Amino acid sequence: MSAAAGSRPLRADAERSTARILAAAEEVLAVDANATLERIADAAGLARATVHRRFSSRKALLEALTGVLNERYVCGLEQARVATAPPIAALYRLTELLFELKAGNRAIMELTADPATKMTPMSPEVTAGLELLFRRLREAGEITATDPAWCCAVYLAIVHEAAQLPTSSPMLGDAAGEVGARADLTYRTVLGALGGSRPHG
């Protein structure tokens, strides 16, 4: 058996261990944001040395969780079909998906947020997907703002602010469900901020 063939099961074991650690970290940190790597190891059912081999520090673990969140953002971009769907429909669907992600990952998002922006750093792949959507919105005449990077910054800032609103806020209006209400507010606000002039329900 070649060395490469013999190493495959070891790599697979390492990948499974890493997945178990990250899953346990999400559960534990959602309950206790200050939980130690040792506690996460116990929750994952792994030796503490195994966790320390995979993640040398809490910072390294949070960086890995940032990667997990970015993978979920990429899935959201794909589900919203930002490259192929009518861009106005893709914007609304993506906004709904982002609020669903925020609802299910709130604790981890807070832990991985950049102190300056209060948001989890986004990967180049996520940024590229968002910029593509705003270029398509501009080309379709749905917005007048011309700089995709600026559009992304405005969009993400409004998403962040809408996520902070209490459920009783009159800003959320009468849209069905909390996710729908926040998505509707964000959608309308973003289009208005970026120069959209068409009525959009």
Side-chain angles (χ1 to χ4, degrees):
M1 180 184 294
S2 70
S7 66
R8 278 196 291 271
L10 292 177
R11 284 200 297 272
D13 285 345
E15 289 170 3
R16 281 194 293 271
S17 293
T18 299
R20 284 173 64 182
I21 294 164
L22 292 174
E26 287 196 75
E27 291 183 8
V28 171
L29 292 171
V31 176
D32 179 5
N34 297 310
T36 62
L37 289 179
E38 289 74 17
R39 184 171 165 194
I40 291 167
D42 292 343
L46 295 168
R48 296 179 180 187
T50 299
V51 174
H52 282 283
R53 277 198 302 274
R54 301 285 181 273
F55 303 103
S56 59
S57 65
R58 180 183 171 86
K59 179 182 177 182
L61 177 65
L62 291 177
E63 287 174 352
L65 288 172
T66 298
V68 169
L69 285 174
N70 272 284
E71 289 172 7
R72 292 172 186 166
Y73 289 144
V74 169
C75 287
L77 290 165
E78 292 171 351
Q79 288 179 49
R81 298 188 297 125
V82 298
T84 58
I88 202 72
L91 175 65
Y92 192 87
R93 181 60 183 139
L94 177 63
T95 305
E96 286 184 316
L97 290 166
L98 284 181
F99 283 111
E100 288 171 9
L101 278 171
K102 283 182 173 292
N105 299 270
R106 191 175 301 278
I108 302 306
M109 286 182 174
E110 290 175 357
L111 284 169
T112 57
D114 182 311
T117 64
K118 308 300 183 185
M119 291 182 280
T120 301
M122 291 189 168
S123 69
E125 187 176 5
V126 174
T127 300
L130 285 172
E131 291 187 357
L132 171 61
L133 174 58
F134 284 104
R135 281 196 298 273
R136 294 187 68 226
L137 284 163
R138 164 68 177 173
E139 290 164 2
E142 301 292 356
I143 60 175
T144 58
T146 57
D147 182 352
W150 166 251
C151 294
C152 289
V154 170
Y155 176 64
L156 293 173
I158 293 172
V159 167
H160 176 73
E161 292 302 322
Q164 305 307 307
L165 287 173
T167 55
S168 60
S169 172
M171 292 293 293
L172 295 178
D174 300 320
E178 184 176 343
V179 166
R182 294 179 196 279
D184 188 63
L185 172 64
T186 299
Y187 172 81
R188 290 183 286 101
T189 305
V190 167
L191 289 175
L194 298 180
S197 58
R198 301 184 190 183
H200 292 293

